[in-house]
Amino acid sequence: MKQAAERLKQAVGAGIFLTDEPMSRHTTFRTGGPADIYIEPSGVEELKQVLDICREENVAYTIIGNGSNLLVGDGGYRGVLISFGKPFAQVTIEGAQVRTGAGALLSAVAKQVLNASLTGFEFAAGIPGTIGGAVVMNAGAYGGELCQVLREATVLTPEGEVKTLPAEELELGYRTSCVQKNGYIVLEAVLQLQPGNADDIRAVMD
């Protein structure tokens, strides 16, 4: 583990690398013992390097999002926990199309599309998770699901290939998709919304 830790620290140049990091700082329940190593990569290439090292050194790793509804035992996690921070939380809006990183909070995206007077994403405003997690499980609430607005998702395959898949190929069902089954890691998603009235959108969100 020591050798792996040294290699990982070198790989995470611009990102965040922490050892014995209490997971109570990264879960919404505010519980959980220390992870051996906690990493927030600065981008896709850094993420690829981290994953390659974990596999080469036979070190367990897990991808987490916002830590929503995630219980970590008091004993912590033996291995590497990887979380997507600010570099993966960028949101850009072009017309009615929204491109968002996997680390963006659903609530933050909902607020930005409200400000752009775009409708279709109101259902997600109260879901305490990230876009990445929402794609993985086809998140939904209040009669809406991500599959209704998701146009495509960009994923990292276990082989290290970055692929953009249309929503039809993600096998989105009730709280499921092919992402977990195929070992994909969601990097980005594109949502297709519709122009609406900001006051009406806000009322639904409220």
Side-chain angles (χ1 to χ4, degrees):
M1 188 64 174
K2 185 178 179 181
Q3 177 177 305
E6 290 175 355
R7 292 184 64 192
L8 288 166
K9 187 174 183 179
Q10 290 180 352
V12 185
I16 294 174
F17 176 91
L18 301 169
T19 57
D20 296 321
E21 175 67 2
M23 290 312 297
S24 57
R25 298 176 182 171
H26 304 280
T27 60
T28 55
F29 287 125
R30 296 292 178 242
T31 62
D36 288 339
I37 297 174
Y38 174 88
I39 290 174
E40 289 185 13
S42 65
V44 177
E45 290 307 313
E46 205 165 270
L47 172 63
K48 285 182 179 180
Q49 289 184 52
V50 167
L51 296 175
D52 285 344
I53 292 170
C54 287
R55 290 165 184 151
E56 290 166 10
E57 298 286 347
N58 198 28
V59 173
Y61 67 87
T62 295
I63 308 289
I64 65 171
N66 188 43
S68 306
N69 298 333
L70 176 65
L71 282 173
V72 180
D74 291 340
Y77 180 79
R78 304 286 72 79
V80 180
L81 282 180
I82 303 167
S83 180
F84 290 170
K86 289 183 180 179
F88 289 89
Q90 302 302 311
V91 178
T92 57
I93 299 175
E94 296 181 5
Q97 195 172 97
V98 182
R99 184 177 298 274
T100 169
L105 292 174
L106 295 172
S107 56
V109 176
K111 184 175 181 180
Q112 290 192 51
V113 299
L114 162 64
N115 292 337
S117 296
L118 295 176
T119 185
F121 203 65
E122 292 90 334
F123 72 90
I127 301 176
T130 62
I131 286 288
V135 173
V136 171
M137 65 176 293
N138 185 27
Y142 307 109
E145 289 184 308
L146 191 70
C147 63
Q148 296 168 349
V149 295
L150 182 65
R151 179 173 178 177
E152 64 186 33
T154 300
V155 300
L156 179 65
T157 71
E159 295 73 36
E161 180 185 2
V162 175
K163 297 172 64 173
T164 298
L165 303 173
E168 302 79 47
E169 294 183 16
L170 291 170
E171 301 174 22
L172 298 166
Y174 181 73
R175 305 299 173 263
T176 186
S177 72
C178 73
V179 175
Q180 257 186 328
K181 181 176 69 177
N182 294 336
Y184 295 155
I185 297 172
V186 179
L187 303 175
E188 186 180 79
V190 175
L191 311 176
Q192 185 64 53
L193 304 179
Q194 300 295 327
N197 178 276
D199 291 334
D200 294 339
I201 295 168
R202 184 179 291 106
V204 173
M205 287 171 59
D206 288 345

